Amino acid sequence: MQTEMIEGRTLEQWSPNEVAAALARNEVILIDVRTPQEFALERIGGALLAPMQELMPQHLPVGGDKLVILHCGSGIRSKRVAEIALAAGTDKIAHMAGGFAAWKSGGHAFTGTDVATGAPKELGGKPGASLAAPGV
């Protein structure tokens, strides 16, 4: 993880591997800032949707025992939303470097759309990999 200070507040940049591990341990809240259309087509299991164009930084679930990590398609929008949240007074927030593209390239599981049926379908993932916490 890389850390950047913006006006005295902390912006963390997490790799997809770090995000996957933290999700498996139930330590973070992952928020997808892409459009509803992008989210409907393919998404990371357990991620919440808060589209960038409608997101209000003051409504982010920050300050609790879980760090909020934002993600988008490439990492550009999520970093911008994180910067907006910091400027609005959030003390600490993170975003996923490389976004959903890096998540998929890293071989992590995600929910996509079965082109034959239009139904959700689990895709990606390394053989034997799971987002479940160890021992669950």
Side-chain angles (χ1 to χ4, degrees):
M1 162 193 13
Q2 296 178 352
T3 302
E4 180 180 344
M5 296 304 290
I6 298 177
E7 297 182 25
R9 295 182 168 90
T10 306
L11 172 60
E12 294 181 354
Q13 181 170 283
W14 289 45
S15 72
N17 288 340
E18 291 169 323
V19 172
L23 277 173
R25 294 187 305 266
N26 198 29
E27 295 175 348
V28 297
I29 298 170
L30 184 61
I31 298 179
D32 189 331
V33 299
R34 299 175 304 151
T35 66
Q37 295 82 3
E38 290 172 297
F39 186 83
L41 184 62
E42 53 187 11
R43 63 197 164 277
I44 297 171
L48 304 174
L49 177 63
M52 177 181 184
Q53 68 271 22
E54 296 180 24
L55 189 129
M56 296 179 168
Q58 66 272 26
H59 293 176
L60 286 169
V62 294
D65 61 340
K66 293 182 181 182
L67 177 67
V68 170
I69 300 177
L70 307 171
H71 90 85
C72 64
S74 66
I76 294 171
R77 288 177 282 180
S78 58
K79 183 174 184 186
R80 180 67 189 125
V81 171
E83 290 168 343
I84 291 168
L86 291 172
T90 300
D91 288 327
K92 183 177 178 181
I93 197 163
H95 86 103
M96 184 168 68
F100 191 62
W103 179 271
K104 291 191 305 187
S105 293
H108 299 287
F110 64 96
T111 300
T113 302
D114 185 326
V115 293
T117 66
K121 179 179 180 180
E122 291 303 311
L123 299 169
K126 300 172 185 167
S130 169
L131 281 182
V136 175

